[in-house]
Each structure stands twice: as C-alpha cells, then as structure tokens.
Amino acid sequence: MQMADLFVGLVHYPIYNKRMQVIASAVTNFDLHDISRTCRTYDVKKYYIIHPLEVQRQIVERIIGYWQHGYGSVYNPDRSDALNRVCWQPDIAAVAENVRQLIGQEPYIVTTDARTYPNTVSYQFMRRKMQEGTRPVLLLFGTGFGIEANVMKKFDYILEPVYGSCDYNHLCVRSAAAIILDRLAGEPWWEK
C-alpha cells in the first residue's frame, strides 16, 4: 500500500507551561530514546528535536553520539539504529524546509493537542490522506502544555485529542506519540 513519507517533530518552543506562559522546554533523555524507537518501529523517515537554543542542540548531539559512536553503540545496537533518525533543528520552519529539500514537496504540517480547533480532523481522515501518498506529512508533538495557539493556527491539520475511557486527558508526549503513530501508520488490525 502506498503511504506518504512520514516525519515527526518534537516542539520545545514556542510551547506553554502550566500557567499558559510561552516558554522553551528542556530536551529530555526519555523523549529522545523512547520517541526515536517508536519512530523507527513505524518507519518515520526523520525525528526532529525542535529547539532554538544551542546548548540544547549540544545535549541532543552528546546523547546521540554516545549511542552511535560510544560504548552505547556496542551495548545496544538497536537503540543506535533508532537514534540514526534523530536530528536537531532550531524551529518548525527549518524542519518543514528540510522535509521539502529531502522529498521535493511541501509537507502537510499536522499536530496534536488535547484541545479541539476549527481545523481538527479525525485519525481516519489523516490516515486516508497518508494513504493517498501525494505529499509528505510532518507530524508535530508539543512538549509542556502544548504548542502556542497562534502557531497552531498555521498548521494544515490538528488531530483530534486522544481520549481514554474517562475524563482524564493529560498523556505524556511519549505515550501520545506511540498511540498516534500506531493510529496513523500501524497495521490495520481492525481489518483482520
């Protein structure tokens, strides 16, 4: 089955903190490791860590370097393989441009949120778009308490929130990424 090339970005700025102030969140080791492994599982072409600060880029490169060139590459080659898809970019525009250069087409920019917006779409809608394979998809996840509202308005689509079986709705980004990537790029288990 034809599928659009899929790229993932983890946005650290501009995002909200719990007081709804715009901040830059710190890169975490868990987000690098866990989301890169999920991206590898679902054949994501690149996983971008999006952060404007040079010191955060250095942290990302140091962690990746250990697992690709240091003892970590021998100790856990699977993790090294997953981290091969990770790269740093300073902002969302740079990521979109990188995807355009790699594929030769503008990507659909899609994000997620625990809230709904006028351009919120279902997972079925986005999965069908990906199956059309006409344009690459850049799927963005926000850290903290979500991506800043004015930035959200610029995206092509926003996926509906992930709901559980109760009213609690505050997944960690690693869990949300795994669920959403499975919904969009996983095997169609419901057809079996």
Side-chain angles (χ1 to χ4, degrees):
M1 174 181 295
Q2 170 84 11
M3 283 291 272
D5 289 319
L6 180 59
F7 298 83
V8 166
L10 185 61
V11 180
H12 292 82
Y13 177 83
I15 57 108
Y16 291 116
N17 66 11
K18 66 182 176 179
R19 293 181 189 87
M20 299 308 284
Q21 299 165 318
V22 176
I23 62 159
S25 62
V27 171
T28 71
N29 197 17
F30 291 122
D31 291 343
L32 280 172
H33 288 274
D34 293 349
I35 296 175
S36 71
R37 291 163 60 193
T38 303
C39 286
R40 179 66 180 94
T41 300
Y42 291 98
D43 198 26
V44 169
K45 303 306 177 203
K46 279 192 180 280
Y47 168 37
Y48 298 94
I49 303 299
I50 304 168
H51 204 298
L53 297 179
E54 174 67 20
V55 68
Q56 294 291 298
R57 181 191 63 79
Q58 291 170 3
I59 291 168
V60 169
E61 289 177 355
R62 185 171 180 194
I63 292 168
I64 292 170
Y66 173 80
W67 290 99
Q68 290 183 328
H69 310 292
Y71 175 70
S73 65
V74 176
Y75 178 75
N76 193 337
D78 288 335
R79 185 157 302 179
S80 178
D81 180 29
L83 289 167
N84 275 333
R85 294 169 190 239
V86 178
C87 63
W88 172 89
Q89 287 290 335
D91 55 47
I92 296 167
V95 173
E97 176 59 21
N98 186 257
V99 171
R100 190 191 64 71
Q101 288 178 0
L102 290 171
I103 305 300
Q105 292 178 299
E106 292 294 325
Y108 287 117
I109 300 180
V110 181
T111 193
T112 63
D113 202 284
R115 299 168 285 265
T116 58
Y117 293 82
N119 58 340
T120 295
V121 298
S122 70
Y123 292 95
Q124 295 89 344
F125 172 88
M126 201 63 230
R127 189 173 174 107
R128 281 192 302 271
K129 269 287 189 217
M130 291 174 61
Q131 289 170 343
E132 290 170 7
T134 57
R135 285 172 60 187
V137 173
L138 171 57
L139 176 61
L140 300 175
F141 294 96
T143 56
F145 283 73
I147 300 170
E148 194 269 331
N150 289 321
V151 175
M152 294 286 284
K153 292 176 185 176
K154 298 176 185 176
F155 300 142
D156 296 301
Y157 303 110
I158 300 172
L159 290 167
E160 62 193 355
V162 173
Y163 294 110
S165 59
C166 68
D167 63 351
Y168 187 81
N169 187 13
H170 193 69
L171 289 171
C172 71
V173 70
R174 295 175 301 284
S175 296
I179 292 166
I180 290 167
L181 283 170
D182 189 66
R183 288 180 179 184
L184 296 179
E187 66 174 334
W189 54 266
W190 57 91
E191 293 177 0
K192 292 182 178 183

